[in-house]
Amino acid sequence: MRIGIFGGTFDPPHIGHISACKAFLDCVELDVLYIIPVYMPPHKNISSDTDERDRLEMSRRAFEPLSDKIFVSDLEIKRGGRSYTADTIKQIKSENENAEIFFLCGTDMILTMDYWYKPEYIFANATIVYARRESETDVTEKIAEKCKLYREKFGARIIYTENNAIEASSTEIREAILKDKNDSRLLSKAVSDYIKEKKLYKS
């Protein structure tokens, strides 16, 4: 079985996330894709007025209608504490013997993975699939250098997936909603309706 992992705060999940999700499914022909909202990111605190239940429900509304292969998981929320990718991979592998694990990441993540918690475990137990939202040459060179390092130091397996880059930022969406200027085209209708219903991002 080929299992994909796509984690994030998803605060809120937007069309950029959805585009990356579709590309991930197609790129590695996954049998199942777990979308996993973090409970608490290792590198930052969640500063909006949503809680984990809101982010979980928005993720379900955004991703599950895309494919019957997609499952939004509360694994990290149930575990609590800082959400470490190594722990998540270990748990999924323990529940799915002989599964092949694929982990989706973006530019910021691919450039910093050697500083993560237990990077050697991540690279040994998952194939890294990265997607980009930008095309700057200097960033391309930095990514190439990092991928070379990961392969040499950790024996990493790394795949690049073509993604129709959609510029969208959860931070900018939250700020726009606060100012009543949000462009609803950046959110699915189901997510936008939930935000309005719960009056999220208004404080």
Side-chain angles (χ1 to χ4, degrees):
M1 177 178 284
R2 296 161 72 86
I3 296 177
I5 299 172
F6 182 15
T9 53
F10 303 122
D11 192 24
H14 53 63
I15 58 170
H17 295 131
I18 291 171
S19 175
C21 175
K22 290 177 178 177
F24 190 21
L25 271 174
D26 293 341
C27 174
V28 289
E29 298 180 340
L30 297 170
D31 294 301
V32 61
L33 171 54
Y34 289 110
I35 306 291
I36 306 180
V38 302
Y39 179 71
M40 187 183 301
H43 56 289
K44 63 181 179 180
N45 292 319
I46 297 173
S47 57
S48 77
D49 60 350
T50 55
D51 62 22
E52 63 274 10
R53 292 166 296 181
D54 291 317
R55 294 186 292 104
L56 184 68
E57 180 59 27
M58 286 190 289
S59 296
R60 285 174 174 154
R61 295 187 182 206
F63 295 109
E64 287 186 342
L66 302 178
S67 169
D68 58 7
K69 295 181 178 181
I70 293 174
F71 176 69
V72 175
S73 171
D74 61 359
L75 181 157
E76 292 186 350
I77 290 172
K78 280 185 175 178
R79 194 168 65 221
R82 295 286 177 182
S83 299
Y84 293 108
T85 297
D87 291 340
T88 297
I89 292 173
K90 184 177 181 179
Q91 183 170 342
I92 289 176
K93 284 183 71 70
S94 72
E95 296 170 355
N96 299 273
E97 189 176 356
N98 299 321
E100 190 174 0
I101 306 295
F102 297 83
F103 176 72
L104 179 66
C105 66
T107 300
D108 291 345
M109 300 165 84
I110 196 72
L111 290 175
T112 60
M113 289 186 74
D114 46 334
Y115 296 103
W116 289 17
Y117 175 69
K118 294 185 178 179
E120 68 284 350
Y121 182 89
I122 296 171
F123 287 120
N125 290 279
T127 298
I128 308 303
V129 181
Y130 75 93
R132 296 180 60 182
R133 290 191 305 181
E134 78 301 303
S135 58
E136 288 85 350
T137 301
D138 61 329
V139 177
T140 301
E141 292 172 353
K142 290 177 182 177
I143 291 175
E145 291 172 2
K146 279 290 188 176
C147 289
K148 182 174 183 290
L149 170 67
Y150 300 155
R151 291 184 176 108
E152 292 175 351
K153 185 175 180 179
F154 301 105
R157 302 174 302 280
I158 304 172
I159 299 170
Y160 170 63
T161 177
E162 292 285 347
N163 176 33
N164 293 326
I166 298 174
E167 289 296 332
S169 160
S170 293
T171 300
E172 292 176 0
I173 290 171
R174 293 195 302 270
E175 291 173 351
I177 293 172
L178 180 61
K179 299 174 183 176
D180 293 320
K181 295 181 179 180
N182 181 49
D183 184 348
S184 60
R185 291 174 297 178
L186 298 178
L187 301 170
S188 70
K189 184 178 185 303
V191 171
S192 183
D193 288 347
Y194 184 84
I195 290 170
K196 292 174 182 175
E197 174 190 340
K198 295 292 185 176
K199 297 181 173 59
L200 300 180
Y201 310 121
K202 287 295 188 179
S203 61

